[in-house]
Amino acid sequence: MTKSSFYEMSIPQQNFRAPLKFNQNGTYVAVTEQDNLSIFNINPFGKIFELQGTSSGLYKSIDLNNASGIMTREELGGVLTGRYLIEMLFATSLIAVVDTIQQPKKLKIINTKRKAAICELKFDHNVQQICLNRKRLVILLQSKQIFIYDISCMQLLHTIDIMEDKVIKELVLKQQQKSWLLKNMAVRGTTSEMDGNQTKEDDAYSYEVKMKLSGDDKSILVYTTYSLSTVDPREDETEITESNENIQKNVNPKGSSASANKLKITLNNIMVFDALNLAQLNFLPRVHNRNVQCLSLSHDGSTVVTASTRGTIIRCFKTSQEQSCFKEFRRGNRPCTITQLEMDHGIALLACVGNSDTIHIFQMNKENAASLADKNTPNNSIPSSSSSPGMALPSTIRHESKFTRVSKFISSNIVSHLPRQNLERNYAYIKKQNEKEIVMIGFSNSSQDKMYVCYGDRLEVYELPSQPGSCLLTQTHVF
């Protein structure tokens, strides 16, 4: 199986109604249904733009003040048929769109008022994610390459290749292929259980790079990178026994490792990059023990929030500081696949949504003394490559009896794996009607006490409570 064919098979080619994206200031929302793409204004509610594939090959553009205007397929070059990636530029008329089924390697910049595609970018690999602000356009490909453009002239400024290391490249592709095969064999009933080296949380998507771009002109870019560690065959596979620096010494010039069969790769590093001045700002290593499933960046680029594939703990970091988790939240005790983390414009609230029946809202500006106290204890420390159950016992207890040493060793490890009940939980919540529904969440910049929840067929407006509790549904708009 070639690399390109694996990527193509990994893309879910389904047509279903689903929310796509809120714009940066929470005034527009984009939704898709089969071949149609629509953008709605939230207040007042109404459709402001529609790209609709019909048998005659016509696309229709709708304006709030003028409901006329027809876009032909030739004017758009056949874009927008099927499933889409879309990024809106605040409340302007510019949108960036990728057709992930028919033209997954082509990105188009469309002016919704002029009803024309004004720019087109072609790549060698499928486009995975788009980020856009008033200064920069950042594109992530499935080949793990990031392209940074000047939005004013669409000039390519910089390219970041996350897969430069041959060992990482080989291990990532191997892990993704294994995850994809195991998943499809389980669906077809050819295997009864997961492979011993594959956890249910760490599927193929969890190894895909994620990125976010700040909404302001500073253009702070954060993206995930891979860390390497070795696995001690005598211990559980998830435990780390060697740091990244030591492993790099074992890699020979040909890009292979003498202990390649014992290497473990994890997507748990965060790189902070200045996309405006094209310089690396910071590096946050091993923010979780597992792969980073989801991340969010504040509007000013000062705070990044992450969640792992387990989805029980949410961690907050300052992009300008070294490894310093200044706040932690507990979403719950049961594993959950978090699909979106969203902060409001003032970094006062954090919303979290996943494949559970509850949308959680946390208070970012509230002191989280409980989670920061006793930071050096095993159950509250940030993941480190130097800590593992297989580490040597301290010299201060070597003279104790063997039974005492073993008892203390086992008890300390049990405590370190227990859920941290002292972490702050949600301040408010919203109950979903169906936990399997695809949901997109957003905050209103004009009103601090409003929150939007977008489903495939409706938009719900909630009022945040003054005291901890359930949010109040105030409006429902049907698409």
Side-chain angles (χ1 to χ4, degrees):
M1 183 185 300
T2 64
K3 180 178 179 180
S4 60
S5 62
F6 167 70
Y7 283 138
E8 291 171 1
M9 287 189 296
S10 299
I11 301 174
Q13 302 189 7
Q14 303 177 24
N15 289 329
F16 58 93
R17 182 182 296 174
L20 288 179
K21 193 87 174 182
F22 283 94
N23 66 342
Q24 292 90 336
N25 51 5
T27 56
Y28 294 167
V29 62
V31 297
T32 180
E33 181 183 9
Q34 297 183 354
D35 292 340
N36 305 332
L37 174 68
S38 301
I39 300 177
F40 290 84
N41 187 74
I42 296 178
N43 189 22
F45 183 79
K47 185 182 295 185
I48 60 173
F49 187 73
E50 181 181 14
L51 294 169
Q52 182 178 8
T54 64
S55 57
S56 60
L58 298 179
Y59 289 94
K60 183 170 56 176
S61 175
I62 297 178
D63 192 287
L64 279 178
N65 302 318
N66 182 9
S68 63
I70 296 293
M71 299 179 67
T72 65
R73 185 181 297 272
E74 288 73 25
E75 288 176 332
L76 291 178
V79 75
L80 302 172
T81 53
R83 295 294 307 280
Y84 317 110
L85 294 174
I86 181 173
E87 184 76 1
M88 294 169 279
L89 183 60
F90 292 89
T92 68
S93 58
L94 291 182
I95 60 173
V97 182
V98 175
D99 176 1
T100 62
I101 293 181
Q102 292 193 356
Q103 295 176 315
K105 301 177 183 179
K106 183 183 295 185
L107 178 141
K108 290 197 174 185
I109 305 294
I110 298 176
N111 188 309
T112 58
K113 289 185 177 180
R114 291 169 50 188
K115 311 173 183 67
I118 61 177
C119 181
E120 181 179 292
L121 299 174
K122 296 181 180 179
F123 302 95
D124 294 332
H125 301 275
N126 295 352
V127 178
Q128 178 178 316
Q129 190 179 350
I130 313 167
C131 291
L132 182 64
N133 65 18
R134 293 186 175 94
K135 294 290 185 179
R136 295 290 183 261
L137 168 66
V138 184
I139 301 167
L140 170 64
L141 305 183
Q142 288 187 340
S143 59
K144 312 296 187 295
Q145 292 173 299
I146 297 176
F147 292 84
I148 302 176
Y149 289 85
D150 185 342
I151 192 64
S152 62
C153 60
M154 295 307 297
Q155 177 185 356
L156 178 62
L157 302 176
H158 190 68
T159 303
I160 302 173
D161 189 358
I162 301 175
M163 303 292 282
E164 285 182 330
D165 191 301
K166 293 183 179 180
V167 176
I168 291 180
K169 185 175 182 179
E170 179 182 351
L171 288 173
V172 169
L173 184 59
K174 181 180 178 181
Q175 186 62 52
Q176 287 182 319
Q177 289 175 337
K178 181 196 294 185
S179 302
W180 186 88
L181 290 172
L182 285 171
K183 180 179 179 180
N184 282 269
M185 284 190 297
V187 170
R188 296 171 186 172
T190 56
T191 180
S192 58
E193 57 184 17
M194 300 293 287
D195 185 275
N197 297 329
Q198 175 72 14
T199 64
K200 292 182 179 181
E201 294 90 357
D202 296 330
D203 58 4
Y205 173 76
S206 70
Y207 288 91
E208 295 289 352
V209 174
K210 291 91 179 174
M211 71 172 186
K212 289 291 181 179
L213 180 69
S214 65
D216 64 352
D217 292 344
K218 295 178 183 178
S219 300
I220 303 300
L221 174 70
V222 296
Y223 58 92
T224 55
T225 62
Y226 299 93
S227 66
L228 284 175
S229 57
T230 55
V231 177
D232 189 343
R234 298 169 300 178
E235 304 291 342
D236 184 81
E237 185 187 12
T238 60
E239 301 305 329
I240 298 170
T241 60
E242 193 170 348
S243 64
N244 287 353
E245 292 78 12
N246 292 335
I247 292 172
Q248 296 300 328
K249 297 178 183 179
N250 296 331
V251 180
N252 62 35
K254 295 183 179 180
S256 61
S257 173
S259 59
N261 59 332
K262 298 180 182 179
L263 286 178
K264 174 182 171 61
I265 190 160
T266 311
L267 185 72
N268 60 354
N269 294 335
I270 300 291
M271 188 71 71
V272 183
F273 190 83
D274 184 352
L276 189 64
N277 301 307
L278 307 178
Q280 180 179 328
L281 297 179
N282 200 3
F283 177 69
L284 304 175
R286 301 181 185 274
V287 295
H288 293 276
N289 283 327
R290 297 178 181 268
N291 293 337
V292 173
Q293 175 73 23
C294 188
L295 78 161
S296 177
L297 184 65
S298 61
H299 176 78
D300 61 0
S302 64
T303 305
V304 59
V305 179
T306 64
S308 71
T309 52
R310 188 163 181 81
T312 55
I313 300 295
I314 299 172
R315 292 192 170 117
C316 308
F317 301 86
K318 293 294 184 181
T319 56
S320 59
Q321 301 175 5
E322 295 182 357
Q323 183 84 8
S324 56
C325 175
F326 71 91
K327 189 176 286 289
E328 287 184 327
F329 299 105
R330 172 165 289 283
R331 184 210 57 82
N333 293 328
R334 293 185 299 174
C336 171
T337 301
I338 295 179
T339 56
Q340 186 186 0
L341 293 168
E342 192 70 25
M343 284 178 279
D344 69 338
H345 194 277
I347 324 179
L349 298 173
L350 168 67
C352 163
V353 62
N355 62 348
S356 65
D357 62 349
T358 305
I359 299 173
H360 303 268
I361 300 100
F362 304 92
Q363 288 183 312
M364 291 283 291
N365 54 5
K366 183 180 178 182
E367 286 297 330
N368 193 195
S371 64
L372 300 179
D374 302 327
K375 209 169 186 179
N376 295 325
T377 58
N379 60 320
N380 277 328
S381 59
I382 300 300
S384 170
S385 58
S386 62
S387 61
S388 71
M391 64 189 298
L393 293 174
S395 57
T396 55
I397 62 172
R398 287 177 182 171
H399 298 290
E400 297 179 357
S401 66
K402 181 178 179 180
F403 176 78
T404 304
R405 294 200 305 267
V406 172
S407 299
K408 288 186 177 181
F409 179 67
I410 294 176
S411 62
S412 64
N413 280 274
I414 292 177
V415 171
S416 65
H417 286 83
L418 289 176
R420 283 169 276 176
Q421 301 296 342
N422 60 339
L423 293 187
E424 184 177 341
R425 293 181 178 263
N426 61 276
Y427 135 79
Y429 63 90
I430 298 172
K431 284 292 184 180
K432 294 160 53 179
Q433 294 182 5
N434 185 351
E435 65 179 33
K436 295 183 179 180
E437 279 189 288
I438 300 176
V439 176
M440 188 68 61
I441 52 179
F443 286 98
S444 170
N445 283 5
S446 59
S447 178
Q448 296 182 354
D449 61 346
K450 283 187 178 180
M451 181 177 173
Y452 305 124
V453 179
C454 182
Y455 297 86
D457 59 346
R458 67 192 185 278
L459 174 69
E460 296 179 346
V461 183
Y462 286 87
E463 182 177 328
L464 298 173
S466 57
Q467 299 294 329
S470 176
C471 296
L472 177 64
L473 177 63
T474 58
Q475 297 179 25
T476 300
H477 304 289
V478 179
F479 296 132

